[in-house]
Amino acid sequence: MISNYKDIYKNKRILITGHTGFKGSWLTLWLIKLGAEVIGYSLDPVNDYDNFNISVPKEKIIDIRGDIRDSNSLSKVFQNYSPDMVFHMAAQPLVKYSFENPKYTYEVNVIGTLNVLEAIKKCINTKAAIIVTSDKCYKNHEWVWGYRESDTLGGYDPYSCSKACTELLVDSYRNSFLNLKDYKSHKKLIATVRAGNVIGGGDWSKDRIIPDSIKALQENRPIEIRNPLSIRPWQHVLEPLSGYIKLGGELLSGHEKYSGAWNFGPYSESITTVEDVVKKVINYYGSGSYEYSKNYTKSHHEANMLSLDISKAKYELHWNPKWGIDIAIEKTVEWYKNYKNEDFSKLCLNQIEEYEKD
């Protein structure tokens, strides 16, 4: 195990797919801070106040617009920049949208990942990759205990199924083309990572409880809750990203044991109900109210209970969560209450620095 994973990224060329997205923008900021040369490949940001638009210094990255389904464009990025490592985060991330657009969801999440894997396979310089999937890749039995990396994959809805398919696809490539037995010849290590319900500043996606809550509070109307008793593993965006960065450092260092699947979830006290989260948002915002949605009809499968077992990351990677749910929500609300400030990248970097020190 490397002694200081932060130093490993200095002057490394890192490709992030989906860098304009919520998690991708925070990872971009963090890797810039660590001295990496970041190449981003993504669609345009959706909203003017997305974290990428107001926080990421564009002059410090190579910012490329492209569709992950376009294998030719993606291949050119690998040919032109020959990245040392890839963080694949580009995805269609919404469950409800996947019911409305299943074909697009599978094309982006599965075929898009296939394009990334093919490009990695062909690029001699690329030594490591982290493919981001989801805690929803597991076949959900509504267990009260957390899912382990060895548990059965599944997925009731198109989004969850697409993430399970992605996991199987990556495993197939590891076995077929990038087998650890042949590591000395191809010198490539790939891991998949599964996180819980990630919150933090800069997420304006539809049908997510934090963005929906903030919009309601800003408009002085009650927050509508669809499933108040649904239990999720809530975590600040910096939590899983710290795990991805640490894991990536091991892969870049050629440590073969870190290839495979990894869970990065919170401790048990941060696994709580949607209603509890909304109450905490209102508390840290300083005003507001909520009500149960009157017009909501549960028209598709929604899990009531989902959590992750992080024993593997804790004992093999020595990664531990730092911020509990209260700090996570406090930092998230802080972002949304200040997001129109001129120098907003400073607040994001301050939060990253606070996290590193804790």
Side-chain angles (χ1 to χ4, degrees):
M1 175 172 285
I2 55 178
S3 58
N4 189 353
Y5 71 90
K6 297 176 185 177
D7 294 336
I8 196 70
Y9 290 97
K10 190 172 183 179
N11 299 322
K12 291 292 193 305
R13 189 166 285 188
I14 310 297
L15 172 64
I16 304 175
T17 70
H19 70 297
T20 63
F22 167 48
K23 289 174 73 175
S25 63
W26 279 95
L27 180 61
T28 298
L29 279 168
W30 205 336
L31 288 176
I32 291 172
K33 183 176 180 296
L34 295 177
E37 180 183 347
V38 177
I39 305 109
Y41 180 85
S42 182
L43 299 175
D44 289 329
V46 177
N47 301 297
D48 291 340
Y49 290 110
D50 280 351
N51 191 53
F52 177 82
N53 279 333
I54 65 176
S55 300
V56 176
K58 313 305 182 295
E59 72 279 3
K60 293 186 178 181
I61 65 172
I62 298 171
D63 184 17
I64 303 169
R65 293 291 178 269
D67 193 318
I68 201 67
R69 298 173 296 170
D70 186 342
S71 60
N72 291 329
S73 294
L74 184 64
S75 294
K76 289 178 182 177
V77 172
F78 275 81
Q79 292 167 10
N80 292 338
Y81 298 101
S82 194
D84 298 290
M85 182 178 179
V86 178
F87 286 92
H88 175 43
M89 309 183 87
Q92 190 300 94
L94 302 174
V95 172
K96 185 177 178 181
Y97 186 89
S98 76
F99 279 97
E100 299 164 355
N101 298 275
K103 183 174 183 290
Y104 177 77
T105 299
Y106 283 105
E107 286 177 346
V108 172
N109 294 353
V110 183
I111 302 303
T113 302
L114 177 64
N115 292 337
V116 171
L117 292 171
E118 276 291 295
I120 290 170
K121 186 179 70 171
K122 295 174 183 177
C123 185
I124 296 175
N125 192 59
T126 303
K127 305 301 182 187
I130 287 182
I131 311 297
V132 179
T133 64
S134 169
D135 59 347
K136 295 179 178 65
C137 70
Y138 293 106
K139 184 175 182 180
N140 194 347
H141 300 283
E142 305 284 350
W143 288 333
V144 296
W145 53 85
Y147 291 89
R148 294 180 177 178
E149 290 85 349
S150 57
D151 282 330
T152 304
L153 299 173
Y156 182 98
D157 57 88
Y159 166 76
S160 301
C161 181
S162 74
K163 289 301 185 178
C165 289
T166 298
E167 289 281 352
L168 292 171
L169 174 61
V170 174
D171 194 54
S172 171
Y173 261 67
R174 266 196 304 257
N175 291 327
S176 301
F177 307 110
L178 305 173
N179 197 294
L180 287 178
K181 294 179 180 178
D182 302 319
Y183 173 68
K184 291 184 179 180
S185 62
H186 59 71
K187 293 289 182 70
K188 299 178 188 296
L189 296 175
I190 299 180
T192 57
V193 292
R194 307 156 182 179
N197 275 40
V198 177
I199 63 175
D203 183 11
W204 296 103
S205 299
K206 294 180 179 179
D207 300 316
R208 284 184 176 167
I209 191 60
I210 296 295
D212 288 350
S213 296
I214 294 298
K215 290 173 187 175
L217 293 171
Q218 291 175 340
E219 296 169 6
N220 295 313
R221 55 181 174 81
I223 300 168
E224 288 192 15
I225 307 179
R226 298 191 301 271
N227 292 308
L229 300 181
S230 292
I231 297 172
R232 297 289 186 273
W234 308 92
Q235 57 190 154
H236 192 274
V237 63
L238 297 182
E239 294 277 28
L241 291 185
S242 71
Y244 302 172
I245 289 172
K246 191 169 187 179
L247 177 62
E250 298 293 347
L251 298 177
L252 270 174
S253 300
H255 297 163
E256 300 170 42
K257 64 176 285 187
Y258 296 96
S259 176
W262 297 82
N263 287 340
F264 293 101
Y267 285 133
S268 59
E269 57 266 26
S270 294
I271 302 172
T272 189
T273 65
V274 171
E275 185 170 19
D276 186 45
V277 168
V278 170
K279 288 179 179 179
K280 291 179 184 295
V281 169
I282 291 171
N283 177 56
Y284 286 108
Y285 196 82
S287 63
S289 62
Y290 72 91
E291 63 185 16
Y292 299 149
S293 179
K294 298 175 183 178
N295 300 319
Y296 177 71
T297 301
K298 190 173 180 180
S299 59
H300 52 74
H301 173 81
E302 292 186 55
N304 293 312
M305 176 70 187
L306 182 62
S307 64
L308 294 171
D309 185 315
I310 58 172
S311 299
K312 181 181 177 183
K314 181 176 180 179
Y315 295 109
E316 295 188 19
L317 190 61
H318 301 304
W319 174 87
N320 290 285
K322 292 183 177 181
W323 286 356
I325 189 168
D326 284 288
I327 295 178
I329 292 176
E330 180 184 11
K331 297 298 182 184
T332 299
V333 172
E334 179 186 30
W335 192 100
Y336 286 107
K337 292 186 76 172
N338 292 280
Y339 71 89
K340 293 185 179 180
N341 290 353
E342 291 184 10
D343 185 16
F344 200 70
S345 61
K346 186 175 180 180
L347 174 59
C348 293
L349 289 172
N350 284 343
Q351 289 191 353
I352 291 173
E353 288 174 1
E354 287 177 42
Y355 183 88
E356 287 179 327
K357 292 176 182 178
D358 287 345

